[in-house]
Amino acid sequence: VQLQASGGGLVQAGGSLRLSCAASGRTLNSYSMGWFRQAPGKEREFVAGMSRSGSNTAYGDAVKGRFTISRDSAKTAMYLHMSALKPEDTATYYCAATVRSSRFADLTYTAGYEYWGQGTQVTVSS
């Protein structure tokens, strides 16, 4: 599956953004999904994950209570709703998908995914 992330931009601290991840040519109901981010000079960091069924979600400690992962009813796109943004949220955000029947905990690691989008830049100004 090819993934296309979009929705990044420049926002002031305290503001909100919604990132989108669209799958080309197919639905996402066969995939568990995740969002990661990477700031310059840092490792790629887990942000949020959703199981294939959509019934289980997980969040990185840095974003709990502020970010929400969701999927549209047609299961053709995934979203990351970001609120109360902080300058430390500045990073390139990547969406990812896996068709493997992994343990849910594996969704918090980059190795848990075989498909990645190209990334979208989020910059939060103070």
Side-chain angles (χ1 to χ4, degrees), residues 1-3 21 23-34 49-56 69 71 75-78 96-102 107 112-116:
V1 63
Q2 290 186 324
L3 303 175
C21 179
S24 61
R26 61 181 66 192
T27 61
L28 296 172
N29 57 339
S30 298
Y31 300 87
S32 297
M33 305 290 295
M50 174 180 284
S51 62
R52 182 182 296 115
S53 66
S55 59
N56 293 312
I69 187 172
R71 190 169 57 188
K75 298 181 181 178
T76 57
M78 174 182 68
T98 178
V99 72
R100 298 192 291 253
S101 297
S102 308
L107 297 182
Y113 299 87
E114 61 268 32
Y115 303 104
W116 291 84

Side-chain angles (χ1 to χ4, degrees), residues 4-64:
Q4 180 76 32
S6 61
L10 174 64
V11 63
Q12 288 188 331
S16 300
L17 276 177
R18 188 185 77 163
L19 304 184
S20 299
C21 179
S24 61
R26 61 181 66 192
T27 61
L28 296 172
N29 57 339
S30 298
Y31 300 87
S32 297
M33 305 290 295
W35 286 97
F36 289 74
R37 67 186 183 185
Q38 189 166 20
K42 295 188 176 181
E43 293 187 352
R44 195 164 294 191
E45 174 189 24
F46 171 73
V47 175
M50 174 180 284
S51 62
R52 182 182 296 115
S53 66
S55 59
N56 293 312
T57 58
Y59 296 92
D61 289 341
V63 307
K64 280 181 182 176

Side-chain angles (χ1 to χ4, degrees), residues 74-108:
K75 298 181 181 178
T76 57
M78 174 182 68
Y79 304 100
L80 184 68
H81 305 261
M82 306 186 294
S83 61
L85 283 161
K86 306 174 182 180
E88 50 264 43
D89 294 319
T90 296
T92 299
Y93 283 71
Y94 298 89
C95 60
T98 178
V99 72
R100 298 192 291 253
S101 297
S102 308
R103 297 179 308 156
F104 184 68
D106 291 342
L107 297 182
T108 65

